[in-house]
Amino acid sequence: MPAPPVLLASGLVVQFGAVRAVGGFDLSVGAGSSVALVGRNGAGKSTTMRVLAGVLPPSAGSVQVAGHDAATDPAGVRAAVGYCPDVGGLIPRATPWEHLQLAARLRGMRHWHPRAHALLERFELSEAADRLTASFSHGMSRRLSVVLAAFHEPRLLLLDEPFDGVDPHGTDATLEVVAEARTAGAAVLVSTHLLELAVRACDEAVVLRGGRVVAAAPAAELAGAEGAQRYRALIG
């Protein structure tokens, strides 16, 4: 009997007044799998990620993460998710080390120092570990957000625009984190407008346009010049 998916989203709808940001989104992601959400700005990628992370309640539909229903067990969902938001999420008057201390305390993590040091080193943030994040560049903030999302080794890793403004070293570090999470049995969802990196990070791609899924296919089918042409046709 096949294992149940780590993430199961059914019929998600998000309505802001007269604007339907997400319309009838369905997605299933199994352990060790990675899916890219791609599309233009305003396609509904970040709104979908917020719903899956439990930050925003859907107007309709359901979300289950690692067997926890978001409607009846939101705390269980949040415990199973590691979320890197597209913007914000950091405390300006706190340092990276203080962010990690707080995350460890809230999640009841023990013996967390070695992993914290390793992630900061990998993302070239060790020397900035005691600097206030208010002084960080956009790329540094993005890297720290990925560190915090992956820190507790979640069952579902949600990375919203993790490559935006990030240098090649940070990009490679993020790709390594995705690969390691998958090897450990996590499900990974990456939202990005950078098609080439979506193809590198993920096995599957879901193309959004106007809040709706217009295509779902192996990410490799969107690689290269031919794939990019197909993608442009899909997003309109």
Side-chain angles (χ1 to χ4, degrees):
M1 183 175 180
V6 175
L7 169 65
L8 181 62
S10 303
L12 290 188
V13 174
V14 180
Q15 195 89 17
F16 298 113
V19 177
R20 177 161 288 197
V22 178
F25 181 87
D26 298 298
L27 183 65
S28 176
V29 187
S33 298
S34 57
V35 176
L37 293 185
V38 293
R40 291 182 181 275
N41 292 336
K45 302 188 302 298
S46 291
T47 301
T48 299
M49 294 287 267
R50 292 185 190 112
V51 171
L52 299 179
V55 174
L56 177 70
S59 304
S62 64
V63 176
Q64 292 187 3
V65 178
H68 303 280
D69 190 290
T72 58
D73 186 12
V77 169
R78 286 193 292 270
V81 169
Y83 174 46
C84 165
D86 59 332
V87 292
L90 300 180
I91 304 168
R93 301 297 297 176
T95 68
W97 193 253
E98 287 169 339
H99 278 83
L100 290 163
Q101 285 180 313
L102 177 61
R105 187 177 303 121
L106 291 174
R107 294 186 178 277
M109 297 172 64
R110 300 176 63 189
H111 312 299
W112 54 270
H113 290 77
R115 178 159 175 80
H117 283 297
L119 284 169
L120 290 174
E121 181 69 26
R122 171 177 287 183
F123 282 84
E124 294 189 334
L125 290 170
S126 293
E127 293 185 3
D130 296 315
R131 279 175 52 188
L132 298 180
T133 59
S135 69
F136 278 17
S137 67
H138 178 68
M140 291 175 70
S141 296
R142 291 281 77 207
R143 283 183 277 147
L144 179 57
S145 291
V146 174
V147 167
L148 293 170
F151 179 42
H152 62 292
E153 300 179 281
R155 296 287 308 281
L156 174 63
L157 181 60
L158 301 174
L159 303 178
D160 193 358
E161 297 292 355
F163 307 112
D164 185 41
V166 175
D167 61 24
H169 181 90
T171 295
D172 289 342
T174 299
L175 292 172
E176 290 171 5
V177 161
V178 169
E180 289 175 2
R182 295 180 60 194
T183 299
V188 182
L189 196 61
V190 178
S191 169
T192 179
H193 64 280
L194 301 172
L195 184 62
E196 180 182 347
L197 291 174
V199 171
R200 288 177 61 188
C202 300
D203 289 333
E204 301 290 326
V206 173
V207 183
L208 297 180
R209 184 177 67 194
R212 293 185 177 277
V213 175
V214 294
E221 293 185 8
L222 300 180
E226 186 175 334
Q229 184 176 1
R230 180 187 178 193
Y231 173 66
R232 286 193 295 270
L234 288 169
I235 63 176

